[in-house]
């Protein structure tokens, strides 16, 4: 029991949420990876690989939650420039060699291991923004320089990620904006910037939507435009089609995800009994929430949503207990990133948002994303250990103060009692002397 307490230190609720998501991930990935099993011919291969990654991720959580949160401030010093170089390299190689996966150059291979530089970049930006906001705070809010520094750091990463993974770039930018709002950056600057970007973005989208997509296919930085155009137009152009004329092969991912959710009912079909997993090419990744709902029903889907919202609320409670600003901003930034990505993934699965390539954090099958998400959980737990130490210190100080006050009160009572005792003693002595004289 003592061994478990030494290993699972930090906020117990965060540990429970993490372990629940990992358990759901193992069950659902094992079920949803049927297409990978069919291609490889190895029934246990995909889930074995995923379980090993989760175990390595658990080691990362244990390691990082034992690291004092102050050391996290150093991470962007090497993570940020490295991620910029890797992002530029991946983008450049995609243009030169045309080596892309699913039409996008997001991955690179190192010593046989495939990973996404954008995941490292997201971590670097979140930590760097937390550090800047913490160092630029005064009694009136964040220093105006904080906005400039944050926009430069985020802008460089956004420009490098957006051509190959626009949804990730926009997600990161949105989380940074929420962090700046929490960090008391000038609302005038923040909303002014958002309004300007909305105006420019709207005009740019209007112009690009009027241009035939095929003419931009070979344009560097715009080769993904045809995909974006099809996803956006497919989302907004919803026509009533009779069942007899419905073409399920058109936008098959969306169609089968909706079938999975529509046929789930309250309790679902049970783990391992999904039917649509065989028709969804990304059932184990981008559309795993549809499989979760199909197998676990409405109850299971609500439970997964509850876990992410619970994570956000718990992170907010941990941030409130922090006496220093950096750990508070760090915890909130990480929680906002994880929960925002989860909400985006679930909205895509249920048809409330155009299709994007965002996995469900800690549930979808993945390599880099799973390990980075485990690192995020480790950082939150590290900060929770700091807040727990603060509470213990406050409790100790309160008990010490109470003991001092109790001792002081006893001393005052003793001091007040001494004159009375002296009077009584003198009276007794006087009476004894009278008795002797009379005798």
């Amino acid at each position: 029991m003592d061994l478990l307490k030494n290993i699972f230190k930090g906020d117990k609720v965060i540990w429970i949420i993490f372990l629940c998501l990992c358990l759901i991930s193992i069950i659902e990935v094992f079920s949803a990876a049927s297409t990978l099993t069919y291609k490889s011919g190895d029934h246990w291969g995909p889930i074995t690989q995923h379980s090993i990654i989760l175990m390595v991720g658990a080691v990362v959580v244990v390691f990082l939650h034992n690291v004092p949160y102050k050391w996290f401030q150093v991470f962007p010093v090497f993570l940020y420039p490295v991620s910029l170089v890797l992002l530029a390299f991946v983008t450049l190689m995609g243009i030169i060699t045309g080596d892309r996966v699913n039409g996008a150059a997001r991955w690179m291979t190192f010593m046989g291991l495939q990973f996404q530089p954008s995941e490292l970049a997201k971590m670097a930006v979140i930590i760097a923004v937390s550090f800047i906001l913490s160092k630029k705070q005064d009694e009136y809010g964040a220093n105006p320089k904080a906005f400039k520094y944050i926009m430069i750091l985020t802008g460089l990463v956004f420009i490098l990620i957006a051509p190959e993974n626009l949804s990730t770039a926009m997600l990161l930018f949105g989380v940074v904006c929420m962090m700046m709002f929490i960090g008391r950056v000038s609302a005038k600057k923040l909303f002014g910037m958002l309004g300007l970007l909305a105006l420019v973005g709207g005009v740019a989208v209007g112009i690009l939507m009027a241009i035939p997509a095929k003419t931009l296919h070979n344009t560097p930085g715009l080769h993904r435009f045809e995909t974006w155009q099809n996803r956006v137009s497919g989302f907004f152009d919803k026509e009533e089609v009779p069942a007899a004329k419905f073409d399920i092969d058109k936008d098959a991912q969306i169609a089968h995800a909706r079938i999975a959710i529509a046929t789930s009912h309250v309790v679902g079909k049970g783990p391992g009994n999904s039917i649509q997993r065989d028709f969804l090419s990304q059932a184990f990744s981008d559309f795993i929430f549809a499989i979760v709902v199909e197998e676990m029903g409405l109850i299971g889907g609500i439970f997964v949503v509850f876990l992410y919202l619970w994570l956000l609320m718990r992170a907010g409670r941990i941030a409130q207990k922090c006496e220093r600003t950096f750990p508070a901003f760090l915890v909130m930034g990480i929680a906002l990133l994880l929960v925002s990505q989860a909400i985006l993934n679930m909205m895509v699965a249920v048809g409330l948002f155009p299709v994007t390539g965002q996995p469900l954090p800690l549930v979808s099958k993945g390599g880099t994303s799973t390990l980075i998400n485990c690192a995020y959980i480790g950082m939150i737990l590290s900060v929770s250990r700091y807040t727990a130490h603060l509470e213990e210190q406050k409790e100790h100080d309160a008990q010490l103060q109470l003991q001092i006050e109790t001792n002081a009160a006893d001393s005052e009572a003793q001091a007040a009692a001494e004159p009375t005792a002296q009077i009584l003693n003198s009276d007794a002595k006087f009476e004894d002397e009278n008795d002797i004289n009379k005798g």
Side-chain angles (χ1 to χ4, degrees):
M1 196 66 180
D2 291 337
L3 178 61
L4 291 176
K5 288 182 179 180
N6 290 331
I7 295 175
F8 298 103
K9 292 180 286 188
D11 191 273
K12 300 299 185 293
V13 173
I14 298 296
W15 274 113
I16 292 172
I17 294 170
F18 171 69
L19 294 175
C20 285
L21 289 174
C22 287
L23 180 61
I24 293 171
S25 177
I26 291 173
I27 295 172
E28 295 304 323
V29 168
F30 182 57
S31 176
S34 59
T35 54
L36 296 178
T37 301
Y38 177 77
K39 291 178 182 178
S40 65
D42 185 357
H43 183 72
W44 292 100
I47 189 59
T48 301
Q49 181 190 35
H50 182 61
S51 298
I52 291 173
I53 291 173
L54 281 177
M55 285 189 287
V56 174
V59 173
V60 171
V61 172
V62 173
F63 172 75
L64 283 179
H65 97 296
N66 282 289
V67 176
Y69 76 87
K70 295 178 182 179
W71 289 101
F72 300 146
Q73 301 175 85
V74 183
F75 284 17
V77 175
F78 58 89
L79 271 183
Y80 187 80
V82 168
S83 61
L84 289 182
V85 172
L86 294 179
L87 285 171
F89 176 77
V90 169
T91 303
L92 187 61
M93 292 304 294
I95 295 174
I96 295 174
T97 65
D99 185 15
R100 298 186 175 100
V101 179
N102 294 329
R106 302 174 185 173
W107 292 267
M108 66 181 301
T109 304
F110 179 72
M111 297 179 63
L113 299 176
Q114 197 177 54
F115 68 96
Q116 288 182 279
S118 60
E119 294 295 333
L120 295 177
K122 288 195 295 184
M123 175 181 282
V125 169
I126 294 299
I127 300 176
V129 170
S130 302
F131 180 75
I132 293 171
L133 288 173
S134 66
K135 293 299 180 183
K136 298 297 180 182
Q137 290 290 320
D138 54 41
E139 58 181 337
Y140 302 107
N143 190 290
K145 291 183 179 179
F147 179 79
K148 180 177 70 175
Y149 294 153
I150 291 172
M151 283 294 97
I152 293 173
L153 285 171
T154 309
L156 289 174
V157 172
F158 182 91
I159 291 171
L160 290 172
I161 294 179
E164 303 294 342
N165 197 348
L166 181 61
S167 61
T168 296
M170 294 180 67
L171 175 67
L172 178 61
F173 185 80
V175 171
V176 169
C177 289
M178 286 188 282
M179 290 180 69
M180 287 194 291
F181 181 77
I182 295 173
R184 303 191 304 168
V185 170
S186 171
K188 183 178 180 181
K189 285 188 176 183
L190 189 57
F191 288 109
M193 179 267 296
L194 291 175
L196 179 61
L197 288 177
L199 179 61
V200 173
V203 172
V205 169
I207 294 173
L208 291 174
M209 290 295 283
I211 301 174
K214 293 182 179 179
T215 62
L216 300 173
H217 185 72
N218 295 321
T219 304
L222 293 177
H223 61 279
R224 293 276 300 166
F225 176 72
E226 185 176 0
T227 302
W228 302 337
Q229 191 180 57
N230 291 336
R231 287 177 176 178
V232 173
S233 60
F235 179 76
F236 288 104
D237 297 340
K238 297 179 180 179
E239 298 180 1
E240 292 292 335
V241 179
K245 295 183 179 181
F246 184 79
D247 185 7
I248 199 170
D249 293 327
K250 182 182 178 182
D251 295 328
Q253 292 273 77
I254 302 173
H256 287 291
R258 293 180 181 177
I259 291 173
I261 293 172
T263 58
S264 63
H265 304 299
V266 177
V267 295
K269 299 174 182 177
N273 294 323
S274 170
I275 297 174
Q276 302 307 316
R277 64 187 176 187
D278 297 326
F279 304 99
L280 280 165
S281 61
Q282 297 297 319
F284 52 85
S285 180
D286 300 346
F287 285 90
I288 196 168
F289 185 70
I291 305 303
V292 170
V293 175
E294 184 183 14
E295 295 189 348
M296 300 172 65
L298 183 63
I299 295 175
I302 292 174
F303 179 69
V304 172
V305 174
F306 169 74
L307 287 176
Y308 287 109
L309 294 179
W310 197 14
L311 174 64
L312 181 61
M313 291 186 292
R314 197 66 183 180
R317 185 173 179 180
I318 293 171
Q320 284 182 336
K321 295 179 181 178
C322 294
E323 291 185 350
R324 299 183 180 180
T325 52
F326 171 72
F329 290 138
L330 178 64
V331 166
M332 288 308 302
I334 290 173
L336 287 170
L337 180 63
L338 291 174
V339 176
S340 297
Q341 183 174 326
I343 291 174
L344 190 60
N345 174 279
M346 292 184 284
M347 288 178 67
V348 170
V350 299
L352 296 177
F353 197 84
V355 176
T356 63
Q358 295 300 318
L360 191 60
L362 297 171
V363 176
S364 294
K365 185 180 185 299
T368 314
S369 60
T370 299
L371 295 177
I372 294 296
N373 290 333
C374 288
Y376 288 144
I377 297 296
M379 291 180 182
I380 294 176
L381 288 169
S382 175
V383 176
S384 73
R385 289 186 60 205
Y386 155 70
T387 58
H389 177 71
L390 286 178
E391 288 185 338
E392 290 176 0
Q393 187 65 41
K394 288 179 181 178
E395 184 177 351
H396 177 267
D397 293 344
Q399 291 178 351
L400 184 62
Q401 183 64 29
L402 179 62
Q403 185 65 35
I404 292 173
E405 292 176 355
T406 302
N407 292 338
D410 292 341
S411 299
E412 290 177 1
Q414 185 177 0
E418 285 181 358
T420 303
Q422 291 175 358
I423 293 172
L424 293 174
N425 291 334
S426 61
D427 290 344
K429 184 177 180 181
F430 177 75
E431 290 176 0
D432 291 341
E433 289 178 353
N434 286 339
D435 291 339
I436 292 172
N437 293 331
K438 290 179 180 179

